[in-house]
Amino acid sequence: MTQTPTETVAEPTVPGRTRWGVFLAILAVPTLVVAALIALLVAWLFTDDSVAADVKKTSCSEALAFGGAKLPEGADDAWCGIEAGPEPRYEALFRMPRAEVGAWVAASFPEGPRLRTTQCGDTQVDACLNAGPVAGERASVQIDITHDSRKWSEVRFVAFTL
């Protein structure tokens, strides 16, 4: 018997073989990639975000005393830390009344140097001071002062050994 062009021929059915295995193998790769990205995101969220991992918070009296100074009476928002290493490096950040900055620096370093408003390195800094070991202290000191407003100044105090 001959087939006419409009007739359909039924395909023979073979039991057992499907294409689900190939489909699942193709789907497994993107699923594993997404799971790995989620695991990396969770690990990133729960790790320490500090820039310097060796910086530990310390008392401000210890940090400033290392450089021969004391925290001023009107200080606000103080944060102090120590960077571990072969030689300690203390850093203090605080705000204080702008009018009292000069008197605090003069009381902390009576033998000099004085604050200067030029050659401070950073254009954002309004006044600075670099002092070698002074007043029998073993540390060098860098102070950067940025005036936030007419009343307040932000002070960055760094004391380190050479």
Side-chain angles (χ1 to χ4, degrees):
M1 166 173 188
T2 60
Q3 243 179 0
T4 62
T6 58
E7 281 185 37
T8 58
V9 178
E11 287 188 28
T13 57
V14 179
R17 188 110 173 136
T18 62
R19 295 187 181 119
W20 281 107
V22 174
F23 178 73
L24 290 177
I26 291 171
L27 256 172
V29 172
T31 303
L32 290 174
V33 168
V34 169
L37 289 174
I38 290 173
L40 286 172
L41 177 67
V42 168
W44 177 69
L45 287 174
F46 289 105
T47 56
D48 187 15
D49 292 340
S50 64
V51 175
D54 293 341
V55 174
K56 297 193 179 5
K57 191 171 180 179
T58 188
S59 71
C60 286
S61 60
E62 177 185 343
L64 290 163
F66 189 77
K70 292 180 183 175
L71 193 64
E73 289 294 323
D76 192 24
D77 297 332
W79 179 91
C80 299
I82 180 172
E83 184 176 336
E87 298 293 331
R89 181 179 187 270
Y90 287 91
E91 184 170 351
L93 300 170
F94 57 90
R95 290 176 26 146
M96 68 180 294
R98 183 175 178 171
E100 299 174 13
V101 171
W104 173 72
V105 171
S108 297
F109 305 102
E111 296 175 15
R114 298 288 173 240
L115 282 175
R116 65 178 188 268
T117 57
T118 60
Q119 299 175 342
C120 289
D122 187 359
T123 57
Q124 302 292 324
V125 174
D126 296 311
C128 60
L129 174 140
N130 292 329
V134 293
E137 298 297 328
R138 62 183 186 150
S140 295
V141 174
Q142 291 179 344
I143 300 175
D144 292 333
I145 297 166
T146 306
H147 301 305
D148 286 349
S149 66
R150 286 190 205 173
K151 293 184 178 183
W152 291 96
S153 293
E154 183 176 299
V155 178
R156 180 175 178 261
F157 180 94
V158 180
F160 56 93
T161 56
L162 298 174

